[in-house]
């Protein structure tokens, strides 16, 4: 697994656990604690993704959309 994907998976899992705990009415203290640490986790995730050592092979002007080189679907 790539290093910059781990925080994305972890924070997404945390979000799913948080939403589930709200829906099943777990302890209010636990829900408030999870809500209070969520901004820290999101900021950590954003930092890790933005500082990831990923080599970009194209400039924005060359390839502004990821599927730009894909063949177009033709209507029959």
């Amino acid at each position: 697994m790539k290093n910059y994907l781990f925080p994305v998976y972890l924070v997404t899992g945390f979000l799913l656990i948080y939403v589930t705990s709200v829906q099943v009415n777990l302890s209010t203290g636990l829900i408030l604690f999870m809500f209070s640490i969520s901004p820290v986790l999101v900021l950590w995730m954003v930092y890790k993704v933005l500082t990831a050592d990923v080599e970009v092979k194209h400039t924005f002007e060359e390839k502004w959309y990821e599927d730009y080189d894909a063949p177009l679907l033709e209507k029959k």
Side-chain angles (χ1 to χ4, degrees):
M1 179 169 35
K2 298 177 182 172
N3 289 339
Y4 63 90
L5 289 179
F6 175 72
V8 176
Y9 293 142
L10 185 71
V11 173
T12 302
F14 182 83
L15 172 68
L16 292 174
I17 292 170
Y18 172 75
V19 170
T20 303
S21 66
V22 170
Q23 289 297 317
V24 297
N25 291 327
L26 286 182
S27 168
T28 304
L30 177 65
I31 292 171
L32 290 174
F33 174 73
M34 291 176 71
F35 179 77
S36 66
I37 65 170
S38 63
V40 175
L41 291 175
V42 171
L43 289 173
W44 171 69
M45 176 185 68
V46 169
Y47 174 77
K48 293 298 272 185
V49 169
L50 290 178
T51 60
D53 188 25
V54 177
E55 181 181 340
V56 180
K57 299 176 183 171
H58 301 284
T59 65
F60 185 74
E61 288 80 20
E62 292 174 349
K63 194 171 183 180
W64 61 276
Y65 189 69
E66 188 64 33
D67 293 337
Y68 185 71
D69 293 335
L72 298 174
L73 296 174
E74 296 181 17
K75 294 182 180 180
K76 292 183 180 182

